[in-house]
Structures are given as C-alpha cells and as structure tokens.
Amino acid sequence: MEKQELGKTGYALNDPTAPIGVFDSGVGGLTVAREIMRQIPNERLIYFGDTARVPYGNKSKETVTKFSKQIVRFLKTQRVKAIVIACNTASAYALDEIEKELDIPIIGVVKPGARVAAEVTKNKKVGVIATAGTIQSRIYTDYIQGIQKDIQVIGKACPLFVPLVEEGLLEDPVTDEIATRYLNELKDIDIDTLILGCTHYPLIRSTLGRIMGESVTLVNPAYETARELKELLAGEGLLNPSTKRLGTNQYQFFVSDGADKFKTFANSILKYGILSAQIIHIEEY
Amino acid sequence: MEKQELGKTGYALNDPTAPIGVFDSGVGGLTVAREIMRQIPNERLIYFGDTARVPYGNKSKETVTKFSKQIVRFLKTQRVKAIVIACNTASAYALDEIEKELDIPIIGVVKPGARVAAEVTKNKKVGVIATAGTIQSRIYTDYIQGIQKDIQVIGKACPLFVPLVEEGLLEDPVTDEIATRYLNELKDIDIDTLILGCTHYPLIRSTLGRIMGESVTLVNPAYETARELKELLAGEGLLNPSTKRLGTNQYQFFVSDGADKFKTFANSILKYGILSAQIIHIEEY
C-alpha cells in the first residue's frame, strides 16, 4: 500500500491515469490549457478559474498566495496527479511556497518562459510585459539572471491589456495606441526578445508583434509550459498510457462565479465545445 | 435596556454618536464618502473597500450579494449606526436582500440617483452608464419607471471606464475615444439626462460632459446619496449632535488587500491626509 501511494516518483499520488489540475485567476489560463490539450492530447484536465476574485495582477503577494493555496486544496480533492499554475502572477508570488508543501509535481508558467527567453536572446536584452504584480515581483529578472547573469531584463507592467482583451478589442486602434505607449520604452532599449508574461497577452500577439517588428522574438510561456509539463510527466512515469477514448469527461471546468460567461469565453478560445462549468465555493477550501 | 436598544427609531442601535459605515468594492466609493464628509462634516465614518475581490461590476448577483453580506457583518462589529452601499453594482444586486435582514438604516446609491434623474428630465429620455452588472440588473430602469412610467431609460455598460480611471487616464485621448464609442448611441437617442451609475465615473465627469454637450444634465448619485443620507439620519434623530472636534479617528479605513496602494489613491481623492488603512480578512465574516 505504501509502495503504491508513494511509488517510484516519490509523490503521494502516483497514478498516470489521474487528471492534471490547471488553475488561473480567470479565463486567461485557458491559453495554457489549450497548449496542454494540443501537446499532450491524451491527458485529462481539471481547470479552475477564480472568476469571483479575478484579477490577481494588481493584488498583493499575501492575497494571491492565500487564494492559490485554496485552489490547490480544491484541486487535490479532485485527485489530480500534477498541478499547473496557468497564471503568471500566481506563479510569481505563490509557486515556491506551495511547492514546499505539496506532495505532487507542480509547475508555473514563469520558469519555462524565462528559460526559453534566456536561450533565444542574442543581444542579451529581454523585455517582459506582464501585470503590475508579476513585474513588481521581479521574478522573470531573477530567474533569467540566475541562468545567465549578464542578460539585461526590462519589465513593463501593462495593466490595461487584460480589460482590453476581455472586452474583445483584440484588433482595435485603442489597443494599438495603448500597446504602443507600453512598448515604446522596450523598443527604445532595443530588446530582441519579448516575454508575453500574462496569459491574456497571446490573444493580442499579432498587435504586439506588429508594433515590436520582426526582429523581436515573442516568447509565449503557454507553449513552453506545456512542453515542460510533458517532459516532467514523462520523466516521472506519469504520462497517461491509456489510448482509449477519454470521452466527454476528459476536460472538466470549475469556476468561482459566472459559469455561463466563462463557458462562452472558453468556447471562443478552445477548439471543442465546453458543455458546462461548475461553480465552486473556493473560499471554503 | 430594551428601550435603549430599540429606542424611538425602532432600530437596534440608536446611538447618534456612532459612526456611519460606507462600503464599496474598492476605491470608487471614496467619491461617495467624500460627498458625505462635505455635506455632514460632523459625522464619523468607517469605510471598507473590498480590494482583494474588486471589481464587482462583472460578477454575478449571488457572488456580489455574498460579498456584501460579509461586509455588512464586519461593519456591524464596528457598531455603525447606518450603512451606505457606495457601489452601484452592490446597491443594484444586494440592497433589497440586506435591508430585509438589517436592524439599522441602510441606503444605496441607485435610488437617490434615479429619483433625481426622474425629476430633472424634460424630454423623458434618461441614459444610464454603469458596469455590466448594474445595467443587466435593470435596477435604474425599474426604479425610474416606478416613479414615472413613461420615462424611457437607456442603459449602456461601460466596462473599460473603471480600468482607465484606475490607470489615471482621466484626461486622455484613449479615454475620449472609448467614451465616444460608449456614449454615441445615447447621443443618437437624444437623452437630456445621464446618470453616472458607477462611483468611478465622476472622476471622468469633464470628459463625459464634453462629449455629451451642455444640453445633457449629468447626475452624480454620490451627491444625491449624501443628501438623502443626511435627511434619513435627521428624520430618525440619528444625526451626530456633538460639536466637539472628532480628532484623527473621525474617518477610519479598512480594506481586504493592498493597504498602501489604497492609501495613495484615497489621498488623491480626499482633501485631507489618510494616515492608515487596516487590512481585514473579510471572508471570515
């Protein structure tokens, strides 16, 4: 029994057929879930979006950590085999503290994005656009400079991008104008790599790419996170070996508020139709 | 004892020297608090801003009501003599339900604003700009048409105004452009009265006034709410009779997150300096 529970990975739950837990402050993490679905299509996912308390980006470390711990406790009740923090702010503020206490593997979106940026930059000038919280935490700077000390990392908080994306202004003169203001100083510094450090930003990727120009590589942490997750699960013997169809329950969605609104947004991002999202009283976990 | 507790007002707490409780989802309600301070300068205030869970404007009725009830329970621990819901969304969704259960007077910002709009409109076309939640609730429409059935009420949700105000873009071409888009249909309908149905909007009053033109009367519910509060307290014998200086504790501020950030914003809105804001774990109430 003990062997089965602690298994060869050293993790308490060592069941490759169990789902992966993915969480975000709201809908942004769906861009990460979408990448996981694409890169490891044989996995089951439990997604939680904290729509009652969204956004996290301008809230304190203490509050974001408290919220994240409640969500991790909820995901554990769903017997997930691993957890992905699909939110940059929560990854920046809460990952290290949660990791210490957790008995299953957990990854955030920050480290995978930072690693790729450190690899691809040639002129050693990397820009990071993100929420105020992520920028204030200096986590991208610390992590990139931990890999290579002489890389200059320039962070820029872009608080209006999330509301603009959520309003659907993905291709719009107003989004262009705001993006131009935010990105100007990064252009002036002549960065060659730009990390999209908030899960909403890939949805305005074409606007950001046009303003920065072709010489700047855009790094989407969602893609890198899904790749690292796959490697991590493979390394631990936790990839789902089953090849039988997983059925309609393969992907399950939970939110803390506004299930219908979430469903509508999710269906605009994901390829297949979400049938339902279930409301959870997350503050009780 | 019973007499003292239930007193002549019929309310459980009948102490004119007790403070007034004022709450909002965050900082917006400070525009209401400011009006109360101006119109009844002799009153003590306890302000609570739910900065950990802000915004309320696009969250569901159930969630906003749950949050509002927790805040009312907190304010009651502070022994307030009356409560002002200084948030349109919470007033729209939660006031009626809370009022039924509460043993002290409570008012929201919606009814005072609606009453004045019904009085001042001449062509019987009133516009309301507010959050998605307030517009969806149709509370302004219901209330105005309850006063005068033949007034046409046209609601317009303006979800980008709050983030633009919180970013400080009070006088900015982007705010102009977004406001022009939101207000165009109200201009086309030829309204003569516009209710600023969100406590953030008075901060961009000059932009809104310029776009609507001089022929349109802007109604600021903050002003009307403070006026009705004064009347209500006077009618119940609950106005503070004391003329002695109330000292530095006259106004006390509580938030659920980011006390320093709140203090900075509050000091930009209020005339006098806020010394501190205290953090409360509001979900425990």
Side-chain angles (χ1 to χ4, degrees):
Chain A
M1 192 62 187
E2 195 187 298
K3 206 175 171 186
Q4 196 186 352
E5 273 186 3
L6 281 173
K8 68 169 180 174
T9 65
Y11 291 116
L13 181 75
N14 183 23
D15 177 1
T17 66
I20 298 159
V22 179
F23 80 86
D24 178 44
S25 58
V27 295
L30 289 168
T31 62
V32 180
R34 177 174 65 179
E35 271 302 315
I36 298 171
M37 293 168 182
R38 211 178 56 80
Q39 293 187 34
I40 29 181
N42 211 33
E43 294 292 336
R44 293 166 58 210
L45 296 190
I46 304 274
Y47 184 94
F48 178 81
D50 197 1
T51 44
R53 305 185 294 197
V54 69
Y56 285 3
N58 45 11
K59 289 164 189 171
S60 72
K61 178 172 184 171
E62 291 66 36
T63 291
V64 171
T65 303
K66 183 172 76 177
F67 291 171
S68 301
K69 284 181 171 181
Q70 289 171 334
I71 297 167
V72 165
R73 283 194 284 270
F74 161 69
L75 289 173
K76 289 210 68 177
T77 67
Q78 301 295 304
R79 293 189 61 76
V80 296
K81 66 183 173 187
I83 290 176
V84 178
I85 307 186
C87 168
N88 281 267
T89 312
S91 299
Y93 280 152
L95 175 60
D96 287 351
E97 201 173 320
I98 291 173
E99 198 169 23
K100 274 183 233 156
E101 300 167 6
L102 202 66
D103 53 5
I104 55 172
I106 183 165
I107 64 169
V109 286
V110 169
K111 290 179 184 176
R115 268 196 284 273
V116 170
E119 273 166 39
V120 302
T121 181
K122 281 171 188 149
N123 72 0
K124 298 187 175 171
K125 289 180 181 173
V126 172
V128 181
I129 52 174
T131 65
T134 302
I135 296 302
Q136 253 163 39
S137 77
R138 292 182 52 87
I139 188 169
Y140 274 106
T141 308
D142 292 348
Y143 200 74
I144 291 171
Q145 292 180 344
I147 298 168
Q148 197 168 334
K149 212 175 172 176
D150 61 347
I151 295 178
Q152 191 186 347
V153 182
I154 307 98
K156 178 70 186 169
C158 304
L160 283 170
F161 280 165
V162 169
L164 288 168
V165 167
E166 299 215 337
E167 269 297 273
L169 304 187
L170 304 183
E171 291 283 349
D172 191 281
V174 165
T175 305
D176 275 16
E177 166 63 22
I178 293 291
T180 303
R181 293 187 199 178
Y182 284 148
L183 298 176
N184 255 347
E185 72 184 79
L186 299 178
K187 284 187 78 168
D188 287 350
I189 295 164
D190 199 28
I191 59 166
D192 72 352
T193 306
L194 178 65
I195 299 174
L196 310 187
C198 169
T199 53
H200 278 74
Y201 299 176
L203 300 172
I204 49 168
R205 192 192 176 111
S206 61
T207 299
L208 302 173
R210 182 163 28 80
I211 292 169
M212 292 309 295
E214 282 183 8
S215 61
V216 176
T217 306
L218 303 188
V219 173
N220 177 2
Y223 178 83
E224 310 303 334
T225 303
R227 210 176 47 76
E228 285 205 18
L229 174 67
K230 186 178 179 179
E231 276 173 22
L232 171 72
L233 294 177
E236 301 288 353
L238 281 171
L239 275 176
N240 190 358
S242 168
T243 52
K244 69 172 181 184
R245 285 192 53 138
L246 292 164
T248 52
N249 274 339
Q250 181 173 7
Y251 303 131
Q252 288 186 282
F253 298 86
F254 297 87
V255 290
S256 46
D257 191 37
D260 285 341
K261 200 174 146 195
F262 177 87
K263 215 177 75 177
T264 306
F265 198 98
N267 283 331
S268 75
I269 290 186
L270 302 175
K271 275 183 185 166
Y272 74 106
I274 288 183
L275 298 176
S276 73
Q278 196 177 321
I279 290 194
I280 293 294
H281 295 288
I282 194 64
E283 72 283 359
E284 291 168 9
Y285 285 86
Chain B
M1 191 64 188
E2 195 187 298
K3 205 174 173 188
Q4 196 187 352
E5 274 187 3
L6 282 173
K8 68 169 181 175
T9 66
Y11 292 115
L13 181 73
N14 182 24
D15 178 0
T17 65
I20 297 160
V22 179
F23 78 86
D24 177 44
S25 59
V27 295
L30 289 168
T31 62
V32 180
R34 178 174 64 179
E35 271 302 316
I36 297 171
M37 293 167 182
R38 209 178 58 80
Q39 293 188 34
I40 28 181
N42 210 34
E43 295 291 335
R44 293 165 61 210
L45 296 189
I46 305 274
Y47 184 95
F48 178 81
D50 196 2
T51 44
R53 306 185 293 197
V54 69
Y56 285 2
N58 46 11
K59 288 164 191 172
S60 72
K61 178 173 183 170
E62 291 66 36
T63 291
V64 171
T65 303
K66 183 171 77 178
F67 291 171
S68 301
K69 285 181 170 181
Q70 289 171 335
I71 297 166
V72 165
R73 284 193 284 271
F74 161 68
L75 289 173
K76 289 211 66 176
T77 68
Q78 301 297 302
R79 293 190 59 77
V80 296
K81 65 181 174 187
I83 290 177
V84 178
I85 307 187
C87 168
N88 281 268
T89 311
S91 299
Y93 280 152
L95 175 60
D96 287 350
E97 202 173 320
I98 291 173
E99 199 169 21
K100 274 183 232 156
E101 301 167 6
L102 202 66
D103 54 5
I104 54 172
I106 182 166
I107 64 169
V109 286
V110 169
K111 290 179 185 176
R115 267 196 285 272
V116 170
E119 273 166 39
V120 301
T121 183
K122 281 172 190 151
N123 72 1
K124 298 187 175 171
K125 289 180 181 174
V126 172
V128 181
I129 52 174
T131 64
T134 302
I135 297 301
Q136 254 163 38
S137 78
R138 293 182 52 86
I139 187 169
Y140 274 106
T141 308
D142 291 349
Y143 201 73
I144 291 171
Q145 292 181 345
I147 297 168
Q148 196 168 336
K149 211 174 172 177
D150 61 346
I151 296 177
Q152 191 186 347
V153 182
I154 306 100
K156 177 70 187 170
C158 304
L160 284 169
F161 280 164
V162 169
L164 288 167
V165 166
E166 298 215 337
E167 269 298 272
L169 304 188
L170 304 184
E171 291 282 347
D172 192 282
V174 165
T175 306
D176 275 15
E177 166 63 23
I178 293 291
T180 303
R181 291 187 199 179
Y182 284 148
L183 298 177
N184 254 346
E185 69 183 80
L186 298 179
K187 284 186 78 168
D188 288 350
I189 295 165
D190 199 28
I191 60 167
D192 72 353
T193 306
L194 178 65
I195 299 174
L196 311 186
C198 169
T199 52
H200 278 75
Y201 300 177
L203 300 171
I204 49 168
R205 192 193 176 109
S206 62
T207 299
L208 302 173
R210 181 163 28 79
I211 292 170
M212 292 309 296
E214 283 183 8
S215 61
V216 175
T217 306
L218 302 189
V219 174
N220 178 2
Y223 178 83
E224 309 305 333
T225 302
R227 209 175 48 77
E228 285 206 16
L229 174 68
K230 187 177 178 182
E231 276 174 21
L232 171 72
L233 294 177
E236 301 289 353
L238 281 170
L239 275 177
N240 191 358
S242 168
T243 51
K244 68 172 183 184
R245 285 192 55 136
L246 292 163
T248 52
N249 275 338
Q250 181 174 7
Y251 303 132
Q252 288 186 280
F253 298 87
F254 297 87
V255 291
S256 46
D257 192 36
D260 285 343
K261 200 173 144 195
F262 176 87
K263 215 177 75 178
T264 306
F265 198 97
N267 282 331
S268 75
I269 289 186
L270 302 175
K271 274 183 186 166
Y272 75 104
I274 287 184
L275 296 175
S276 73
Q278 196 177 321
I279 290 195
I280 293 294
H281 295 288
I282 194 65
E283 72 284 358
E284 291 167 10
Y285 285 88

